Amino acid sequence: MTVLVSGATSQIGRYLLPRLLQAGIPVLAVSRQPQPSQPGVEWWTGDLGDALSSFQGQTWQAIVSFTSMEGWLPWLAAQDSAPAPRIIATSSMSVVTKESSAQSDEQAVVAWLRRGETGLTTQAERLGMQWTILRPTLIYGAGIDKSLTPIVARARRARLFPIPMAHGMRQPVHADDIAQAVVAALHTDATAGKVVEIGGGERLHYAEMFRRVHASMAERTLPVPLPQALLRLLAAAVPRARGPVSRLQQDLIADNGPLRALLGIHPRPFQPDAGAWVPLSRNEALARIEAAAS
């Protein structure tokens, strides 16, 4: 049977589709934009809500969601029987790391994520579906993330690379490691009814993470250390920077113990190359997966 994937062109989706096809699993993929045809993948173009309305009465081997969990709730609430035996969705470690933030916008993100998690698990249990929620840390590896790739892009233009001199621990996780965790979760009941944290295979000081990003760039840029005093001035001058700056000294990490024990996934250390900051096509994702396996 087919696996339904929403957010199929997201960072994780770009790695998950090749891995599902390698496993001989056909895919029904939802994307807002038209996509090139691909053997083993049926593309549905449009909004998730419109897609779900058109799927009424269909069933799948599993549902995998990399989109907003709240987007599933009205449709799931309208179902009388399970559309799939299991659903696997991604949330974010921001549920934990931003929980004590004093910033109203960050508190809104936490509330939105919690509503999605609670609503999804409630509806899945009502329908008798197994559910698994993955909470990743900072994701990289497909060149379309909103965290590190924009910093690289600005550095290319300015030829300057800022390195905040902060020592909070970070644990960036490669998108393909999350894709592997999804595939593993499709083949086991071990994570049914569980929220599983997933971080990278290495914990780094914030400044060290930035140094490695800088070292990975193909272009030459001048590293510019940003001392703590300057960061505090930035937080005082720019209100929206207060939350991010306040967390620079905090440890934003995940516990990978359950991930290893339940799914056998051991995420890679943070050793990016220049390709990590370039938008990745599905063919390139497949080539990287095959190269890593050889």
Side-chain angles (χ1 to χ4, degrees):
M1 294 177 65
T2 299
V3 170
L4 171 63
V5 180
S6 70
T9 59
S10 68
Q11 297 187 79
I12 313 168
R14 295 186 188 205
Y15 284 100
L16 179 65
L17 263 59
R19 289 199 172 275
L20 290 176
L21 296 179
Q22 278 187 331
I25 300 173
V27 177
L28 174 58
V30 179
S31 172
R32 291 181 180 272
Q33 302 298 326
Q35 300 296 321
S37 61
Q38 183 177 2
V41 179
E42 177 186 350
W43 287 96
W44 199 99
T45 303
D47 181 81
L48 176 62
D50 293 336
L52 293 176
S53 297
S54 72
F55 296 155
Q56 191 66 32
Q58 295 189 42
T59 57
W60 302 279
Q61 175 184 345
I63 295 171
V64 177
S65 174
F66 303 130
T67 52
S68 165
M69 287 176 288
E70 278 199 316
W72 287 91
L73 302 188
W75 183 77
L76 286 172
Q79 304 307 303
D80 295 323
S81 59
R86 71 181 70 210
I87 182 167
I88 301 168
T90 51
S91 180
S92 170
M93 281 299 294
S94 292
V95 170
V96 177
T97 59
K98 294 182 179 179
E99 190 171 29
S100 60
S101 172
Q103 300 294 110
S104 59
D105 58 338
E106 294 183 345
Q107 281 294 319
V109 169
V110 172
W112 172 68
L113 289 168
R114 288 207 177 277
R115 283 196 307 270
E117 289 187 359
T118 301
L120 188 76
T121 59
T122 298
Q123 291 302 325
E125 289 175 357
R126 180 184 68 84
L127 293 166
M129 301 171 66
Q130 293 185 355
W131 60 266
T132 299
I133 292 177
L134 299 176
R135 284 182 182 167
T137 54
L138 186 155
I139 306 172
Y140 75 100
I144 57 172
D145 63 274
K146 305 299 184 184
S147 301
L148 297 177
T149 294
I151 293 169
V152 171
R154 288 193 293 269
R156 287 185 181 126
R157 294 192 296 269
R159 297 294 175 180
L160 298 173
F161 193 95
I163 301 180
M165 303 309 292
H167 300 287
M169 302 298 287
R170 294 298 185 269
Q171 198 174 356
V173 59
H174 198 285
D176 186 38
D177 291 327
I178 306 172
Q180 292 181 62
V182 171
V183 174
L186 288 172
H187 292 93
T188 181
D189 297 335
T191 58
K194 290 183 171 61
V195 176
V196 181
E197 298 180 1
I198 175 167
E202 191 172 7
R203 294 176 176 179
L204 307 164
H205 291 302
Y206 196 84
E208 177 60 21
M209 179 180 72
F210 268 58
R211 290 189 187 99
R212 293 195 190 182
V213 174
H214 176 245
S216 74
M217 293 179 61
E219 304 84 359
R220 296 186 63 180
T221 60
L222 178 67
V224 181
L226 303 179
Q228 284 292 312
L230 181 58
L231 295 172
R232 287 193 291 270
L233 285 174
L234 173 65
V238 183
R240 67 180 182 179
R242 291 171 187 167
V245 169
S246 70
R247 286 192 298 278
L248 292 180
Q249 302 295 349
Q250 298 175 11
D251 295 343
L252 308 184
I253 55 180
D255 177 7
N256 281 348
L259 177 76
R260 293 189 294 266
L262 299 174
L263 296 177
I265 300 297
H266 298 263
R268 71 200 70 184
F270 186 61
Q271 300 289 347
D273 58 21
W277 321 119
V278 178
L280 183 75
S281 71
R282 291 192 301 278
N283 288 337
E284 290 168 334
L286 177 59
R288 290 187 188 182
I289 291 169
E290 292 175 340
S294 62

